[in-house]
Amino acid sequence: MVEAFAVASGKGGTGKTTSTLALGMALADTYDVTVIDADTGMANILFHAGLSDIDTTLHEVLAGDAPVDDAVYERFGMQVVPCGTSLAGFQEADPTELRDVVASLAEQTDIILLDSPAALDSRTAVLPVVLADRVIIVLQPTVPSLSDALKVQEYALTYGTDIAGVLFNRVTDDEAIADISEQAERYFEGDILATVPETEHARGARRAGKPLLAHAPKSAAAQQYHDAVRSLDIRDGSSDAVADRFRSAVIPENP
Ligand code: ADP
Ligand code: MG
């Protein structure tokens, strides 16, 4: 059984990486979960997951210099596949190889979460949204963030990727969120999965090199991620079918 999710947003800094690891840990209570840093140009899962001193990352795998298994790390009850942060590593990496990497990991796990790049303007950036079964859209409760997120939705639907739902992050103002939620319900497919507050725990987690659910498991923010996972309603899929779909996916030349 396997389902692949892209965790995406229109802009950087909305909390994709924080949310990918939090959702991954919440899902790992029930499923075998693999989290992949598909944001190969602005990778940061390794900092959020205490992996900054490792040698082999997704960059080496995408460059053909290491087998994928060498870049899979058991952390916090999940398999984590971090990406390196050097410009040279990024330049050496062949983003189209991500299809084979995800395909081979799909054969070994229940759920894949792809931490995705912010913009949709390069072949690398669009891959996760094109390849995933469903997209989880992370946004801050502002109109510009909402409008960027709608572009992600439009893009996903164009390539036959469903919308799992919308996750609001860094929420400070209850009134603003009420108004934005109403608009989000109107414009987005899928549910509003969670409303995660702006919290010092998220910054503390990042500093400690731990996912939020490991750093502050009892926090209100952590609870929101558990609730989000309950409303995700994971679908059954055959691992082989998903792997085949990834391997043979057509990558758009001009996104
Ligand atoms: P992205 O991957 O979308 O660029 P990150 O998850 O790296 O975003 O988050 C960007 C910054 O915002 C990080 O420093 C992170 O610790 C912080 N952050 C994320 N979510 C929250 C939150 N709910 N409250 C406070 N800070 C947050
Ligand atoms: Mg990130």
Side-chain angles (χ1 to χ4, degrees), residues 9 11-20 39 42 44 48 115-116 118 138 140 168-171 196-207 212 221 225:
S9 71
K11 277 204 178 24
T14 55
K16 290 179 299 298
T17 302
T18 301
S19 298
T20 303
D39 191 356
M42 286 286 177
N44 54 11
H48 287 250
D115 185 8
S116 309
V138 179
Q140 287 175 238
F168 284 111
N169 187 31
R170 312 198 68 160
V171 175
V196 180
E198 171 80 22
T199 168
E200 181 51 36
H201 291 309
R203 287 183 286 271
R206 165 74 177 74
R207 280 195 300 275
L212 177 68
Y225 286 108

